[in-house]
Amino acid sequence: MELTSRADTAARRARHGIGWPDCVAVEREINAERHREQDEAFAALLPHTALLIDRARVALGVQPPSRHLAGWALLVDDLEASADLARARLADPASTGTTALRQHQVTWAERARFLADLAVQDTPPLPGPELPSAEEARWTAHAQDTRRRQMMYLYESRYDAHGRQLTVVGVPHLDEPAEDCVLIVAGDVDSPTMRALGRYDTYDQALAALPPPVQPGVLHPRGWFSSSAGEVPALADLIADVAAATQSQVVAEALGHVASDGTGPCHLSQLSDLLGQCADFALATETVAGRDLSVRLRGLVVQTDHLDRQLRQALVAFEDTIAVLPPHRTPQPRHIKPPPAVRSSPPPAPAQATPPRVPRRL
């Protein structure tokens, strides 16, 4: 259910096509259409919510212990409470179309995909790749060495059901340096705890050996709503893109627009908001490279004199990462009160040495 994102895209096109002052009526019409579509989609889904929730709870019961399970269970409980409250309101004809009912429709429009994905995971996840201990130590040392020498190419990163960050990387072959091979490694590639799980001749072989990914987390567990307003909506749209992003390439694209088109004074009033969002995202990846990027972007808020050059440097650094947000950054529930012991945001990670930027290896 992606009604919200489709309506937001239509609103952006209206602003850019007819101008900000003249688009208020168009945006109202778009929002009204979005509400009608949400009404129809929610009405069609509501009879099946109990089955979806039951299957999701079965899936939670077969998942391995991991940091994100408590947050996921809380989201399932919240969606169940939302559906029950919505049914009660729909039983009262006077409640149809009210703000309270709209909140439940929005909740399900945003989070039904999470529930549907979880509901089909009703069997224990397959084990991931694993090297014999001697081979693991050998390839782990090689991977750490190639990372330090900036000879590692990052293909893809994901989190599995155990909450492990798995990354597919390309490195020179240990026994045949003139040839390349592909590794699956666990953990932050810039951390000394990174370890090699599998070695493959091709990227396709490594991809086939990867465990299925779980849904990435969110940047703002408590929710994020844009407060930007004014005559120049383009930068506000980029801020919203970063706030809704789950992978670093979206952040790189947003920075690319700013670095190439953000030198005029009309964007500077919103610039610090965008940089703050990008810095928050980098920190939320919980990687050494992410923490380094976060510090650099915070510095850019007060260093507008060299803005274009430094933003391009940050853009290149984001393009060289393939990070996704960890799944334990689950959204907080909206319709039930979470227990005090559950926290959606992770504690601060210990400080690590700043690694060198890794260029793409062609």
Side-chain angles (χ1 to χ4, degrees):
M1 300 178 71
E2 300 176 351
L3 303 177
T4 301
S5 61
R6 292 208 311 268
D8 289 342
T9 300
R12 292 183 195 182
R13 289 174 179 169
R15 287 198 294 266
H16 295 308
I18 65 176
W20 180 259
D22 302 321
C23 72
V24 175
V26 175
E27 289 203 41
R28 285 177 179 170
E29 187 175 330
I30 290 171
N31 285 332
E33 178 62 23
R34 172 174 57 184
H35 291 160
R36 284 193 293 270
E37 290 179 344
Q38 286 181 343
D39 289 344
E40 294 171 2
F42 188 63
L45 182 62
L46 195 57
H48 308 287
T49 56
L51 177 61
L52 276 173
I53 288 167
D54 286 345
R55 289 182 63 91
R57 289 203 171 110
V58 170
L60 287 173
V62 300
Q63 298 298 306
S66 54
R67 190 176 177 183
H68 59 263
L69 279 189
W72 282 13
L74 206 57
L75 280 184
V76 173
D77 292 344
D78 188 56
L79 284 165
E80 181 179 43
S82 175
D84 290 343
L85 290 170
R87 288 191 191 91
R89 293 190 179 280
L90 285 170
D92 178 9
S95 297
T96 304
T98 63
T99 302
L101 184 58
R102 183 75 60 208
Q103 291 175 350
H104 300 297
Q105 293 169 342
V106 170
T107 295
W108 277 85
E110 292 178 355
R111 299 178 179 176
R113 175 65 182 273
F114 155 78
L115 195 64
D117 286 350
L118 179 60
V120 299
Q121 300 176 39
D122 53 359
T123 57
L126 296 174
E130 201 74 33
L131 287 169
S133 56
E135 284 292 288
E136 177 187 317
R138 184 168 173 256
W139 284 103
T140 295
H142 181 59
Q144 291 171 340
D145 180 59
T146 56
R147 182 63 170 169
R148 283 192 298 266
R149 294 162 58 195
Q150 304 184 29
M151 297 179 66
M152 177 182 286
Y153 180 80
L154 308 180
Y155 284 106
E156 178 182 339
S157 186
R158 64 174 61 176
Y159 282 83
D160 69 357
H162 295 271
R164 298 182 303 178
Q165 182 182 14
L166 303 180
T167 306
V168 181
V169 303
V171 298
H173 198 289
L174 186 58
D175 301 319
E176 302 175 30
E179 301 293 330
D180 289 341
C181 65
V182 181
L183 301 178
I184 295 177
V185 299
D188 182 357
V189 295
D190 293 309
S191 167
T193 60
M194 173 185 68
R195 67 187 186 98
L197 301 181
R199 188 205 66 77
Y200 308 90
D201 293 329
T202 67
Y203 168 73
D204 289 340
Q205 291 175 353
L207 197 62
L210 275 175
V214 298
Q215 283 201 9
V218 296
L219 181 57
H220 299 281
R222 293 183 180 274
W224 186 88
F225 303 93
S226 174
S227 59
S228 300
E231 298 180 354
V232 186
L235 194 55
D237 290 340
L238 294 178
I239 296 170
D241 286 345
V242 175
T246 60
Q247 49 187 308
S248 56
Q249 291 306 305
V250 177
V251 184
E253 291 175 8
L255 283 178
H257 288 294
V258 175
S260 61
D261 195 30
T263 55
C266 60
H267 291 287
L268 293 181
S269 61
Q270 297 177 347
L271 178 61
S272 61
D273 287 342
L274 175 63
L275 295 180
Q277 290 294 324
C278 295
D280 288 348
F281 185 98
L283 188 62
T285 63
E286 298 181 19
T287 63
V288 175
R291 286 191 291 274
D292 182 50
L293 274 171
S294 180
V295 172
R296 291 170 54 190
L297 288 168
R298 287 293 181 191
L300 290 178
V301 175
V302 293
Q303 294 179 16
T304 56
D305 51 339
H306 298 299
L307 176 62
D308 188 67
R309 178 176 59 84
Q310 295 201 40
L311 274 181
R312 288 185 182 279
Q313 291 176 358
L315 165 63
V316 171
F318 262 115
E319 287 179 336
D320 286 341
T321 69
I322 50 170
V324 294
L325 295 181
H328 59 254
R329 296 185 62 88
T330 51
Q332 289 197 347
R334 295 172 178 165
H335 308 285
I336 61 174
K337 185 177 180 179
V342 175
R343 59 182 299 166
S344 296
S345 298
Q352 298 278 358
T354 301
R357 186 183 69 77
V358 178
R360 292 189 178 276
R361 187 167 179 264
L362 302 177

